[in-house]
Amino acid sequence: MTVRPIVVLSDSLIDLIAAGEVVERPASVLKELIENSLDASASRITVDIQGGGTRLVQVADNGEGLSEQNALLAIERHATSKLTRAEDLEEILTMGFRGEALPSIAAVGKFVMESWDGSSTSGTRVVIRNGRLSKVEPCARSRGTTASLERIFQNIPARRKFLKSRGT
């Protein structure tokens, strides 16, 4: 038996492993995005699903929205607006950590987030393709956030083959 050397994994492989923990199927993407909308104090949430979620999962809200700086931070691993110290873990009163799951979601398809916080001069559109930042640009939109994931597991055939039926 040959002993294989120990290697440090690349960031992209780490993101795919983490994505497998957060993103089991389209329903888990939907859950995370809706929780983000609720945490952002949205009073209106719109959901669009195509192909049972394999072609598109999109959640749009009228919540607090994000500035460009916060939109870019929200897609970073281990970024959150909910915690600053260990004691905060015992006092979490939100559905999730806004931004916690976004890098994992963005690692498994084409992720587009548009957001406006109501005070910046324009909204921000962030496009991530299979975990890699592709584009950041201004956009016109109302206050709130729209997050969408297209073609889930397109770049991960091993995960794609375990997807359940569209109805599931």
Side-chain angles (χ1 to χ4, degrees), residues 112-116 123-126 137 139-141 144-148:
V112 179
M113 180 173 62
E114 294 181 351
S115 193
W116 185 52
T124 301
R125 177 181 298 117
V126 177
E137 61 188 1
C139 69
R141 62 160 294 120
T145 302
T146 301
S148 60

Side-chain angles (χ1 to χ4, degrees), residues 73-158:
L73 285 172
I75 59 171
E76 293 291 326
R77 294 180 67 224
H78 310 296
T80 181
S81 62
K82 306 301 181 202
L83 303 171
T84 57
R85 55 198 179 100
E87 293 82 7
D88 293 340
L89 287 169
E90 297 173 18
E91 301 173 13
I92 296 174
L93 301 173
T94 59
M95 299 290 290
F97 308 137
R98 189 169 179 94
E100 168 194 63
L102 295 182
S104 295
I105 292 169
V108 298
K110 178 184 175 191
F111 179 75
V112 179
M113 180 173 62
E114 294 181 351
S115 193
W116 185 52
D117 63 2
S119 64
S120 304
T121 56
S122 69
T124 301
R125 177 181 298 117
V126 177
V127 180
I128 302 172
R129 296 177 190 276
N130 302 319
R132 297 192 189 277
L133 183 61
S134 172
K135 188 185 301 183
V136 178
E137 61 188 1
C139 69
R141 62 160 294 120
S142 57
R143 184 175 174 154
T145 302
T146 301
S148 60
L149 178 67
E150 298 175 29
R151 300 182 300 275
I152 190 171
F153 300 140
Q154 175 183 327
N155 65 328
I156 315 169

Side-chain angles (χ1 to χ4, degrees), residues 33-34 36-47 58-65 98 141-147:
L33 295 179
I34 289 174
N36 284 351
S37 293
L38 293 171
D39 286 344
S41 302
S43 62
R44 187 180 68 246
I45 300 171
T46 305
V47 173
Q58 182 177 74
V59 175
D61 70 49
N62 66 343
E64 296 168 3
R98 189 169 179 94
R141 62 160 294 120
S142 57
R143 184 175 174 154
T145 302
T146 301

